[in-house]
Amino acid sequence: MDNSEEIKKIVAKIDIGKISEYLQEHSTSTSLKEIVKYSKRVLDNNEDEQVFKLGVWLGYVLRTICDPNKAGYVKDEKEKKYWLELSEELFKQTIGKKK
């Protein structure tokens, strides 16, 4: 679990401003609120195990906001691709490639 620095680099790419825009439209979304909260916790945390766990969770939540069968908040294909790439990077640094 020595990937915490890599995980932090990936999490730093999460555009909190963009997530906040989605939140304006979907103000009750727990997923979007968690992205903001957990991103900050990852960046402020020095405990490898916590960074790892939060990195895994962020990977799943980023996929959820893009999935039309789940939350489906992201409609723009370019944005969707960006979030899914970040999700994939997080999985590679944590639990392995997500299928």
Side-chain angles (χ1 to χ4, degrees):
M1 269 190 274
D2 53 13
N3 294 354
S4 59
E5 286 308 311
E6 284 300 314
I7 294 168
K8 285 182 179 190
K9 287 178 188 173
I10 298 164
V11 171
K13 296 178 187 176
I14 295 175
D15 183 348
I16 297 302
K18 190 49 131 174
I19 297 297
S20 295
E21 286 178 27
Y22 299 142
L23 254 172
Q24 288 175 1
E25 192 176 331
H26 309 281
S27 59
T28 59
S29 169
T30 305
S31 299
L32 293 170
K33 291 175 187 173
E34 286 177 346
I35 292 172
V36 173
K37 182 171 67 175
Y38 293 162
S39 295
K40 183 173 177 9
R41 283 180 55 192
V42 165
L43 297 174
D44 293 344
N45 203 319
N46 291 322
E47 191 179 318
D48 288 346
E49 189 174 336
Q50 276 290 2
V51 170
F52 181 89
K53 286 179 181 178
L54 291 170
V56 171
W57 184 247
L58 282 168
Y60 280 109
V61 177
L62 289 172
R63 289 180 78 86
T64 298
I65 67 169
C66 294
D67 188 334
N69 297 319
K70 293 181 181 169
Y73 301 140
V74 183
K75 305 293 186 225
D76 181 272
E77 288 302 317
K78 189 175 176 184
E79 289 176 20
K80 205 179 281 189
K81 183 177 183 229
Y82 179 76
W83 295 123
L84 291 173
E85 284 174 1
L86 285 182
S87 172
E88 194 65 33
E89 286 181 49
L90 284 167
F91 287 132
K92 284 179 188 172
Q93 294 301 321
T94 55
I95 58 173
K97 190 170 176 138
K98 177 93 173 100
K99 302 235 186 288

XYZ file of all heavy atoms in Angstrom:
816
model
N 0.818 -1.201 0.000
C 0.000 0.000 0.000
C 0.860 1.262 0.000
O 0.529 2.240 0.636
C -0.924 -0.011 1.202
C -2.244 -0.644 0.912
S -3.431 -0.419 2.214
C -3.028 -1.778 3.272
N 1.975 1.215 -0.712
C 2.838 2.396 -0.774
C 2.488 3.283 -1.965
O 3.265 4.108 -2.379
C 4.315 1.976 -0.821
C 4.573 0.985 -1.940
O 3.695 0.815 -2.814
O 5.658 0.391 -1.941
N 1.300 3.118 -2.488
C 0.849 3.899 -3.635
C 0.141 5.180 -3.235
O -0.444 5.845 -4.076
C -0.117 3.075 -4.497
C 0.554 1.897 -5.153
O 1.758 1.739 -5.071
N -0.229 1.067 -5.784
N 0.198 5.545 -1.961
C -0.607 6.683 -1.517
C -0.233 7.981 -2.229
O -1.104 8.801 -2.502
C -0.556 6.854 -0.002
O 0.751 7.038 0.444
N 1.027 8.159 -2.575
C 1.411 9.379 -3.300
C 0.819 9.385 -4.709
O 0.381 10.422 -5.192
C 2.935 9.538 -3.353
C 3.550 9.960 -2.028
C 2.899 11.207 -1.416
O 2.736 12.223 -2.139
O 2.537 11.167 -0.238
N 0.805 8.226 -5.365
C 0.194 8.122 -6.695
C -1.309 8.367 -6.611
O -1.875 9.043 -7.463
C 0.467 6.746 -7.315
C 1.873 6.577 -7.844
C 2.233 7.583 -8.923
O 1.422 7.802 -9.842
O 3.322 8.157 -8.831
N -1.927 7.806 -5.594
C -3.369 8.001 -5.406
C -3.660 9.486 -5.213
O -4.585 10.037 -5.815
C -3.883 7.167 -4.211
C -3.757 5.671 -4.524
C -5.337 7.533 -3.881
C -3.966 4.756 -3.339
N -2.845 10.151 -4.409
C -3.034 11.585 -4.166
C -2.892 12.393 -5.451
O -3.650 13.344 -5.681
C -2.036 12.095 -3.122
C -2.382 11.677 -1.719
C -1.387 12.251 -0.730
C -1.753 11.854 0.681
N -0.956 12.580 1.670
N -1.942 12.022 -6.311
C -1.766 12.726 -7.592
C -3.013 12.596 -8.459
O -3.429 13.547 -9.119
C -0.550 12.178 -8.347
C 0.781 12.588 -7.766
C 1.921 11.965 -8.543
C 3.241 12.215 -7.862
N 4.341 11.492 -8.514
N -3.591 11.406 -8.463
C -4.803 11.176 -9.260
C -5.970 11.968 -8.676
O -6.702 12.640 -9.402
C -5.135 9.670 -9.319
C -3.996 8.899 -10.015
C -6.471 9.430 -10.035
C -4.038 7.401 -9.800
N -6.127 11.903 -7.367
C -7.231 12.612 -6.708
C -7.108 14.124 -6.920
O -8.116 14.817 -7.076
C -7.299 12.244 -5.204
C -8.280 13.137 -4.461
C -7.688 10.775 -5.047
N -5.891 14.617 -6.981
C -5.682 16.056 -7.201
C -6.213 16.492 -8.566
O -6.499 17.672 -8.770
C -4.197 16.395 -7.068
N -6.386 15.553 -9.495
C -6.917 15.866 -10.819
C -8.439 16.012 -10.825
O -9.009 16.441 -11.812
C -6.540 14.764 -11.820
C -5.061 14.626 -12.078
C -4.818 13.469 -13.032
C -3.366 13.144 -13.213
N -3.188 11.948 -14.066
N -9.080 15.636 -9.727
C -10.535 15.752 -9.658
C -10.891 17.233 -9.580
O -10.463 17.938 -8.681
C -11.107 14.979 -8.446
C -10.858 13.479 -8.625
C -12.598 15.274 -8.273
C -11.274 12.631 -7.438
N -11.662 17.673 -10.544
C -12.066 19.078 -10.626
C -13.260 19.306 -9.704
O -14.407 19.043 -10.071
C -12.430 19.400 -12.083
C -12.792 20.853 -12.303
O -12.995 21.595 -11.309
O -12.878 21.258 -13.475
N -12.955 19.794 -8.506
C -14.002 20.009 -7.508
C -15.003 21.065 -7.991
O -16.190 20.992 -7.682
C -13.380 20.399 -6.143
C -12.495 19.255 -5.606
C -14.465 20.745 -5.119
C -13.183 17.923 -5.422
N -14.531 22.026 -8.772
C -15.434 23.030 -9.341
C -16.493 22.393 -10.219
O -17.671 22.755 -10.172
N -16.072 21.431 -11.035
C -17.003 20.731 -11.924
C -17.978 19.884 -11.103
O -19.179 19.855 -11.384
C -16.214 19.854 -12.909
C -17.049 19.278 -13.995
C -17.893 20.326 -14.649
C -17.872 20.358 -16.110
N -18.836 21.309 -16.659
N -17.466 19.220 -10.076
C -18.331 18.419 -9.203
C -19.362 19.339 -8.536
O -20.535 18.994 -8.410
C -17.507 17.658 -8.142
C -16.549 16.643 -8.804
C -18.413 16.965 -7.125
C -17.213 15.535 -9.588
N -18.935 20.530 -8.147
C -19.844 21.504 -7.532
C -20.940 21.930 -8.504
O -22.084 22.154 -8.097
C -19.069 22.732 -7.048
O -18.186 22.359 -6.024
N -20.598 22.025 -9.793
C -21.614 22.339 -10.805
C -22.673 21.237 -10.858
O -23.868 21.509 -10.928
C -20.977 22.497 -12.185
C -20.204 23.772 -12.370
C -19.553 23.856 -13.750
O -20.084 23.235 -14.711
O -18.521 24.526 -13.859
N -22.223 19.988 -10.833
C -23.170 18.872 -10.823
C -24.028 18.939 -9.561
O -25.219 18.643 -9.593
C -22.460 17.517 -10.855
C -21.597 17.246 -12.058
C -20.390 16.565 -11.914
C -21.966 17.629 -13.344
C -19.588 16.286 -13.003
C -21.159 17.354 -14.440
C -19.971 16.678 -14.255
O -19.171 16.399 -15.328
N -23.408 19.329 -8.445
C -24.131 19.420 -7.173
C -25.228 20.472 -7.206
O -26.258 20.317 -6.555
C -23.150 19.740 -6.031
C -22.814 18.602 -5.086
C -21.710 18.988 -4.134
C -24.013 18.074 -4.362
N -25.011 21.542 -7.948
C -26.047 22.570 -8.061
C -27.306 21.987 -8.710
O -28.417 22.330 -8.344
C -25.532 23.768 -8.860
C -24.527 24.590 -8.093
C -23.923 25.707 -8.942
O -24.264 25.878 -10.104
N -23.021 26.462 -8.347
N -27.087 21.100 -9.671
C -28.207 20.485 -10.376
C -28.811 19.318 -9.586
O -29.997 19.039 -9.672
C -27.728 19.998 -11.747
C -28.836 19.610 -12.674
C -28.316 19.231 -14.050
O -27.263 19.739 -14.479
O -28.973 18.404 -14.700
N -27.955 18.627 -8.833
C -28.377 17.433 -8.082
C -28.000 17.619 -6.612
O -27.152 16.902 -6.081
C -27.707 16.178 -8.644
C -27.847 16.021 -10.114
N -28.999 15.547 -10.701
C -27.003 16.295 -11.134
C -28.842 15.518 -12.026
N -27.648 15.976 -12.305
N -28.630 18.582 -5.964
C -28.219 19.009 -4.619
C -28.379 17.939 -3.533
O -27.749 18.028 -2.488
C -28.982 20.270 -4.209
O -30.363 20.008 -4.228
N -29.173 16.929 -3.782
C -29.356 15.892 -2.763
C -28.412 14.707 -2.959
O -28.459 13.746 -2.193
C -30.808 15.371 -2.774
O -31.091 14.837 -4.071
C -31.789 16.480 -2.432
N -27.546 14.770 -3.941
C -26.677 13.641 -4.277
C -25.615 13.380 -3.212
O -24.732 14.190 -2.969
C -25.978 13.890 -5.605
O -24.965 12.922 -5.796
N -25.711 12.217 -2.600
C -24.699 11.794 -1.637
C -23.379 11.516 -2.356
O -22.313 11.848 -1.847
C -25.176 10.513 -0.912
O -26.449 10.771 -0.338
C -24.213 10.118 0.177
N -23.458 10.931 -3.544
C -22.240 10.584 -4.302
C -21.399 11.811 -4.583
O -20.178 11.799 -4.382
C -22.607 9.915 -5.625
O -23.307 8.732 -5.412
N -22.024 12.867 -5.056
C -21.279 14.081 -5.384
C -20.685 14.723 -4.130
O -19.532 15.175 -4.133
C -22.180 15.072 -6.115
C -22.640 14.626 -7.506
C -23.706 15.555 -8.041
C -21.468 14.535 -8.470
N -21.458 14.740 -3.051
C -20.947 15.295 -1.789
C -19.762 14.485 -1.281
O -18.794 15.039 -0.765
C -22.055 15.327 -0.732
C -23.133 16.340 -1.041
C -24.274 16.252 -0.048
C -25.423 17.161 -0.457
N -26.607 16.978 0.384
N -19.831 13.159 -1.447
C -18.734 12.299 -1.011
C -17.475 12.532 -1.838
O -16.365 12.472 -1.304
C -19.146 10.828 -1.071
C -20.098 10.460 0.033
C -20.577 9.031 -0.048
O -20.401 8.370 -1.102
O -21.138 8.553 0.956
N -17.626 12.790 -3.121
C -16.447 13.064 -3.955
C -15.705 14.281 -3.402
O -14.487 14.256 -3.248
C -16.831 13.268 -5.435
C -17.326 11.960 -6.036
C -15.626 13.799 -6.227
C -17.904 12.095 -7.433
N -16.441 15.328 -3.086
C -15.820 16.542 -2.547
C -15.150 16.243 -1.197
O -13.986 16.552 -0.985
C -16.866 17.672 -2.394
C -16.268 18.879 -1.683
C -17.426 18.065 -3.756
N -15.896 15.606 -0.310
C -15.407 15.334 1.045
C -14.213 14.371 1.032
O -13.191 14.625 1.669
C -16.549 14.757 1.879
C -16.183 14.478 3.329
C -17.408 14.115 4.152
C -18.004 12.789 3.747
N -19.115 12.346 4.588
N -14.327 13.275 0.305
C -13.279 12.267 0.306
C -12.029 12.723 -0.445
O -10.921 12.348 -0.087
C -13.783 10.945 -0.263
C -14.816 10.267 0.604
C -15.630 9.280 0.098
C -14.997 10.624 1.938
C -16.585 8.648 0.882
C -15.943 10.003 2.730
C -16.738 9.019 2.201
O -17.666 8.400 2.985
N -12.208 13.536 -1.470
C -11.038 14.072 -2.185
C -10.183 14.890 -1.231
O -8.966 14.750 -1.179
C -11.474 14.950 -3.355
O -12.148 14.189 -4.311
N -10.835 15.747 -0.458
C -10.127 16.574 0.511
C -9.444 15.701 1.565
O -8.291 15.935 1.920
C -11.093 17.554 1.178
C -10.412 18.505 2.140
C -11.373 19.547 2.641
C -10.817 20.504 3.660
N -9.415 20.499 3.938
N -10.155 14.678 2.028
C -9.572 13.782 3.043
C -8.351 13.047 2.509
O -7.369 12.870 3.233
C -10.618 12.797 3.549
C -11.575 13.467 4.538
C -12.639 12.552 5.072
N -12.139 11.336 5.682
C -12.929 10.309 5.987
N -14.215 10.348 5.721
N -12.424 9.228 6.543
N -8.387 12.616 1.258
C -7.236 11.928 0.668
C -6.034 12.873 0.626
O -4.933 12.518 1.028
C -7.544 11.403 -0.749
C -6.263 11.031 -1.487
C -8.472 10.214 -0.691
N -6.270 14.081 0.138
C -5.172 15.033 -0.028
C -4.584 15.483 1.308
O -3.399 15.801 1.383
C -5.638 16.232 -0.851
C -6.053 15.888 -2.289
C -6.647 17.099 -2.978
C -4.883 15.320 -3.083
N -5.388 15.479 2.362
C -4.925 15.920 3.685
C -4.404 14.780 4.537
O -3.897 15.018 5.629
C -6.061 16.620 4.444
C -6.463 17.934 3.799
O -5.695 18.460 2.970
O -7.560 18.431 4.126
N -4.527 13.540 4.080
C -4.233 12.375 4.903
C -2.845 11.808 4.607
O -2.440 11.716 3.457
C -5.290 11.301 4.639
C -5.435 10.328 5.773
O -4.462 9.909 6.372
N -6.667 9.945 6.042
N -2.147 11.394 5.649
C -0.834 10.764 5.483
C -0.849 9.293 5.870
O 0.185 8.645 5.873
C 0.218 11.514 6.298
C 0.485 12.888 5.714
O 0.515 13.064 4.506
N 0.655 13.868 6.584
N -2.013 8.784 6.204
C -2.138 7.388 6.594
C -2.420 6.547 5.347
O -3.487 6.660 4.742
C -3.263 7.247 7.621
C -3.303 5.908 8.289
C -4.415 5.834 9.312
O -4.617 6.803 10.069
O -5.094 4.786 9.338
N -1.462 5.712 4.958
C -1.559 4.935 3.719
C -2.856 4.143 3.598
O -3.481 4.123 2.539
C -0.374 3.979 3.580
C 0.924 4.698 3.266
O 0.879 5.888 2.903
O 1.988 4.073 3.392
N -3.257 3.489 4.671
C -4.452 2.647 4.610
C -5.709 3.474 4.323
O -6.556 3.077 3.529
C -4.619 1.867 5.914
C -5.701 0.819 5.822
C -5.777 -0.067 7.055
O -4.777 -0.199 7.775
O -6.866 -0.624 7.279
N -5.824 4.639 4.953
C -6.972 5.514 4.715
C -6.982 6.027 3.276
O -8.022 6.059 2.629
C -6.955 6.708 5.679
C -7.556 6.419 7.011
C -9.073 6.238 6.931
O -9.701 6.298 5.882
N -9.670 5.993 8.072
N -5.815 6.453 2.787
C -5.706 6.952 1.413
C -6.118 5.848 0.442
O -6.854 6.090 -0.512
C -4.277 7.462 1.122
C -4.083 7.763 -0.359
C -3.973 8.699 1.963
N -5.659 4.630 0.704
C -6.002 3.482 -0.134
C -7.519 3.264 -0.163
O -8.122 3.183 -1.233
C -5.295 2.232 0.406
C -5.550 0.991 -0.394
C -4.741 0.662 -1.471
C -6.603 0.136 -0.074
C -4.979 -0.495 -2.212
C -6.846 -1.015 -0.808
C -6.025 -1.324 -1.879
N -8.147 3.178 1.006
C -9.589 2.926 1.096
C -10.398 4.032 0.411
O -11.345 3.759 -0.315
C -10.022 2.809 2.561
C -9.596 1.521 3.213
C -10.030 1.493 4.660
C -9.579 0.213 5.338
N -9.950 0.195 6.766
N -10.017 5.269 0.681
C -10.741 6.389 0.072
C -10.514 6.425 -1.438
O -11.421 6.781 -2.197
C -10.313 7.711 0.713
C -10.758 7.893 2.170
C -10.085 9.118 2.778
C -12.257 7.995 2.287
N -9.324 6.039 -1.884
C -9.037 5.973 -3.316
C -9.926 4.964 -4.018
O -10.457 5.225 -5.104
N -10.119 3.804 -3.373
C -11.017 2.781 -3.928
C -12.436 3.339 -4.001
O -13.104 3.236 -5.032
C -10.999 1.493 -3.067
C -12.081 0.526 -3.524
C -9.635 0.825 -3.117
N -12.889 3.951 -2.913
C -14.251 4.482 -2.873
C -14.447 5.549 -3.938
O -15.456 5.558 -4.634
C -14.557 5.030 -1.474
C -15.957 5.502 -1.367
C -16.372 6.784 -1.206
C -17.147 4.720 -1.466
N -17.747 6.847 -1.189
C -18.241 5.588 -1.351
C -17.398 3.376 -1.647
C -19.560 5.150 -1.412
C -18.709 2.941 -1.710
C -19.769 3.823 -1.590
N -13.479 6.454 -4.075
C -13.593 7.503 -5.095
C -13.663 6.900 -6.492
O -14.405 7.378 -7.351
C -12.428 8.487 -4.993
C -12.545 9.508 -3.868
C -11.226 10.234 -3.658
C -13.654 10.509 -4.162
N -12.907 5.838 -6.734
C -12.970 5.156 -8.031
C -14.375 4.677 -8.340
O -14.885 4.872 -9.442
N -15.021 4.066 -7.347
C -16.392 3.581 -7.537
C -17.378 4.731 -7.727
O -18.255 4.668 -8.583
C -16.838 2.718 -6.349
C -16.321 1.303 -6.428
C -15.339 0.854 -5.568
C -16.825 0.413 -7.380
C -14.847 -0.444 -5.641
C -16.343 -0.886 -7.470
C -15.355 -1.310 -6.595
O -14.887 -2.585 -6.687
N -17.248 5.773 -6.923
C -18.199 6.885 -7.000
C -18.064 7.632 -8.326
O -19.064 8.044 -8.919
C -18.039 7.843 -5.796
C -18.970 9.023 -5.896
C -18.305 7.105 -4.498
N -16.845 7.781 -8.826
C -16.658 8.435 -10.129
C -17.347 7.634 -11.234
O -17.941 8.200 -12.147
C -15.179 8.633 -10.437
C -14.470 9.700 -9.604
C -12.966 9.669 -9.862
C -15.034 11.082 -9.882
N -17.282 6.322 -11.143
C -17.983 5.477 -12.125
C -19.495 5.643 -11.990
O -20.216 5.702 -12.983
C -17.617 4.007 -11.940
C -16.208 3.677 -12.346
C -15.916 2.201 -12.140
N -16.478 1.398 -13.195
C -15.889 1.137 -14.366
N -14.707 1.630 -14.605
N -16.479 0.389 -15.266
N -19.968 5.735 -10.753
C -21.402 5.852 -10.490
C -21.990 7.119 -11.094
O -23.079 7.084 -11.672
C -21.670 5.817 -8.968
O -21.224 4.554 -8.467
C -23.142 5.995 -8.647
N -21.283 8.241 -10.966
C -21.852 9.495 -11.479
C -21.905 9.508 -13.004
O -22.621 10.307 -13.588
C -21.123 10.752 -10.946
C -19.692 10.857 -11.466
C -21.183 10.804 -9.430
C -19.018 12.201 -11.192
N -21.160 8.610 -13.641
C -21.159 8.523 -15.107
C -22.132 7.470 -15.637
O -22.529 7.530 -16.801
C -19.754 8.183 -15.606
S -18.552 9.482 -15.293
N -22.482 6.520 -14.821
C -23.305 5.387 -15.248
C -24.775 5.793 -15.365
O -25.412 6.125 -14.361
C -23.162 4.250 -14.240
C -23.830 2.964 -14.693
O -24.793 3.028 -15.494
O -23.398 1.890 -14.245
N -25.341 5.757 -16.576
C -26.746 6.157 -16.762
C -27.728 5.242 -16.028
O -28.848 5.637 -15.752
C -26.948 6.087 -18.271
C -25.850 5.239 -18.784
C -24.713 5.320 -17.814
N -27.304 4.033 -15.682
C -28.178 3.111 -14.952
C -28.109 3.311 -13.442
O -28.856 2.693 -12.699
C -27.827 1.660 -15.290
C -28.068 1.372 -16.749
O -29.061 1.803 -17.321
N -27.147 0.669 -17.367
N -27.163 4.141 -13.001
C -27.047 4.444 -11.566
C -27.378 5.912 -11.398
O -28.518 6.306 -11.547
C -25.659 4.077 -11.060
C -25.424 2.565 -11.103
C -24.086 2.179 -10.585
C -23.941 0.653 -10.683
N -22.599 0.225 -10.450
N -26.401 6.748 -11.115
C -26.674 8.178 -10.916
C -26.847 8.896 -12.252
O -27.790 9.646 -12.450
C -25.555 8.821 -10.104
N -25.885 8.676 -13.164
C -25.996 9.269 -14.498
C -25.975 10.789 -14.540
O -26.621 11.391 -15.378
N -25.228 11.421 -13.640
C -25.192 12.879 -13.596
C -24.406 13.487 -14.750
O -24.677 14.593 -15.169
C -24.578 13.374 -12.281
C -25.304 12.913 -11.053
C -24.618 12.512 -9.915
C -26.697 12.880 -11.004
C -25.283 12.107 -8.778
C -27.373 12.465 -9.875
C -26.654 12.078 -8.759
O -27.318 11.666 -7.645
N -23.409 12.764 -15.241
C -22.548 13.303 -16.291
C -23.133 12.931 -17.646
O -23.219 11.754 -17.991
C -21.106 12.755 -16.153
C -20.203 13.376 -17.189
C -20.563 13.006 -14.753
N -23.522 13.937 -18.398
C -24.147 13.703 -19.708
C -23.151 13.886 -20.852
O -23.208 13.193 -21.848
C -25.316 14.675 -19.927
C -26.355 14.643 -18.831
C -27.113 13.345 -18.782
C -28.244 13.399 -17.785
N -28.365 12.258 -16.942
N -22.220 14.824 -20.696
C -21.242 15.132 -21.736
C -20.248 13.971 -21.870
O -19.622 13.559 -20.889
C -20.507 16.435 -21.362
C -19.498 16.828 -22.415
O -18.343 16.361 -22.317
O -19.859 17.595 -23.325
N -20.097 13.455 -23.098
C -19.241 12.281 -23.329
C -17.766 12.554 -23.014
O -17.072 11.680 -22.500
C -19.393 11.782 -24.766
C -20.721 11.111 -25.036
C -21.007 9.908 -24.126
O -20.094 9.092 -23.893
O -22.142 9.803 -23.640
N -17.297 13.744 -23.304
C -15.902 14.087 -23.023
C -15.649 14.107 -21.510
O -14.639 13.581 -21.031
C -15.575 15.457 -23.645
C -14.122 15.824 -23.598
C -13.877 17.132 -24.335
C -12.429 17.547 -24.204
N -12.173 18.848 -24.815
N -16.578 14.690 -20.778
C -16.465 14.710 -19.316
C -16.553 13.302 -18.749
O -15.798 12.937 -17.852
C -17.567 15.578 -18.701
C -17.388 17.051 -18.938
C -18.547 17.874 -18.403
O -19.311 17.387 -17.536
O -18.695 19.012 -18.867
N -17.471 12.519 -19.294
C -17.645 11.142 -18.843
C -16.337 10.368 -19.018
O -15.900 9.643 -18.128
C -18.767 10.489 -19.653
C -19.448 9.344 -18.978
C -20.559 8.770 -19.835
C -21.805 9.617 -19.755
N -22.980 8.984 -20.392
N -15.709 10.546 -20.169
C -14.445 9.862 -20.455
C -13.376 10.270 -19.439
O -12.632 9.428 -18.934
C -13.989 10.215 -21.879
C -12.737 9.499 -22.304
C -12.382 9.831 -23.750
C -11.169 9.027 -24.143
N -10.133 9.773 -24.754
N -13.324 11.561 -19.114
C -12.341 12.062 -18.145
C -12.538 11.415 -16.768
O -11.601 10.897 -16.172
C -12.453 13.588 -18.036
C -11.496 14.188 -17.048
C -10.150 14.333 -17.353
C -11.934 14.611 -15.796
C -9.260 14.886 -16.446
C -11.047 15.161 -14.884
C -9.713 15.297 -15.208
O -8.837 15.831 -14.295
N -13.780 11.416 -16.282
C -14.051 10.845 -14.958
C -13.774 9.341 -14.938
O -13.241 8.821 -13.962
C -15.494 11.123 -14.538
C -15.812 12.565 -14.345
C -16.803 13.271 -14.979
C -15.159 13.517 -13.493
N -16.787 14.579 -14.571
C -15.795 14.756 -13.653
C -14.096 13.432 -12.608
C -15.410 15.902 -12.962
C -13.697 14.578 -11.918
C -14.353 15.782 -12.100
N -14.138 8.656 -16.012
C -13.910 7.210 -16.058
C -12.420 6.884 -16.129
O -11.975 5.885 -15.559
C -14.668 6.585 -17.232
C -16.193 6.597 -17.078
C -16.863 6.111 -18.351
C -16.639 5.776 -15.878
N -11.637 7.731 -16.794
C -10.180 7.531 -16.829
C -9.585 7.715 -15.439
O -8.706 6.949 -15.029
C -9.520 8.484 -17.825
C -9.721 8.070 -19.262
C -9.198 9.082 -20.271
O -8.636 10.128 -19.873
O -9.363 8.830 -21.477
N -10.050 8.734 -14.710
C -9.567 8.928 -13.337
C -9.942 7.729 -12.469
O -9.128 7.252 -11.673
C -10.137 10.208 -12.722
C -9.560 11.525 -13.197
C -10.212 12.690 -12.446
C -8.055 11.578 -13.016
N -11.154 7.251 -12.643
C -11.612 6.084 -11.901
C -10.703 4.886 -12.181
O -10.263 4.192 -11.267
C -13.049 5.755 -12.296
O -13.456 4.543 -11.734
N -10.422 4.675 -13.448
C -9.557 3.557 -13.853
C -8.154 3.691 -13.248
O -7.576 2.714 -12.765
C -9.481 3.504 -15.381
C -8.921 2.227 -15.925
C -9.805 1.028 -15.638
O -11.031 1.150 -15.598
O -9.236 -0.064 -15.434
N -7.609 4.906 -13.260
C -6.289 5.150 -12.662
C -6.311 4.829 -11.164
O -5.364 4.240 -10.641
C -5.861 6.606 -12.861
C -5.442 6.949 -14.266
C -5.012 8.409 -14.378
O -4.205 8.875 -13.542
O -5.486 9.099 -15.302
N -7.381 5.216 -10.487
C -7.493 4.927 -9.057
C -7.537 3.424 -8.815
O -6.877 2.913 -7.910
C -8.729 5.605 -8.462
C -8.594 7.104 -8.234
C -9.945 7.738 -7.947
C -7.627 7.390 -7.092
N -8.293 2.709 -9.635
C -8.359 1.258 -9.475
C -6.994 0.611 -9.717
O -6.603 -0.303 -9.002
C -9.410 0.640 -10.393
C -10.820 0.900 -9.947
C -11.767 1.343 -10.848
C -11.207 0.714 -8.637
C -13.068 1.589 -10.450
C -12.513 0.956 -8.218
C -13.445 1.390 -9.134
N -6.267 1.084 -10.705
C -4.940 0.521 -10.995
C -4.000 0.697 -9.805
O -3.163 -0.166 -9.543
C -4.328 1.177 -12.228
C -4.932 0.693 -13.522
C -4.298 1.396 -14.707
C -5.018 1.066 -15.994
N -4.543 1.888 -17.114
N -4.140 1.807 -9.087
C -3.264 2.076 -7.943
C -3.758 1.436 -6.653
O -3.042 1.432 -5.648
C -3.115 3.592 -7.725
C -2.395 4.301 -8.833
C -0.989 3.759 -9.058
O -0.274 3.435 -8.119
N -0.597 3.673 -10.312
N -4.972 0.896 -6.671
C -5.522 0.322 -5.447
C -5.823 -1.171 -5.613
O -4.984 -1.987 -5.339
C -6.792 1.092 -5.000
O -7.750 1.114 -6.071
C -6.457 2.522 -4.601
N -7.006 -1.492 -6.112
C -7.448 -2.886 -6.128
C -7.130 -3.612 -7.435
O -7.465 -4.768 -7.595
C -8.962 -2.991 -5.856
C -9.773 -2.201 -6.877
C -9.263 -2.544 -4.438
C -11.270 -2.395 -6.779
N -6.512 -2.922 -8.370
C -6.250 -3.528 -9.654
C -7.263 -3.063 -10.671
O -8.243 -2.407 -10.336
N -7.043 -3.397 -11.896
C -7.906 -2.938 -12.986
C -9.332 -3.420 -12.807
O -9.595 -4.581 -12.576
C -7.341 -3.430 -14.314
C -8.026 -2.820 -15.491
C -7.283 -3.153 -16.758
C -8.080 -2.602 -17.922
N -7.295 -1.995 -18.913
N -10.268 -2.480 -12.927
C -11.703 -2.785 -12.809
C -12.220 -3.233 -14.162
O -11.937 -2.620 -15.175
C -12.443 -1.513 -12.345
C -13.918 -1.663 -12.251
C -14.331 -2.072 -10.863
C -15.840 -2.059 -10.721
N -16.443 -3.334 -10.817
N -12.980 -4.304 -14.171
C -13.525 -4.831 -15.425
C -14.847 -4.182 -15.738
O -15.604 -3.804 -14.930
C -13.695 -6.321 -15.306
C -12.400 -7.030 -14.983
C -12.135 -8.081 -16.010
C -10.949 -8.933 -15.689
N -9.687 -8.468 -15.777
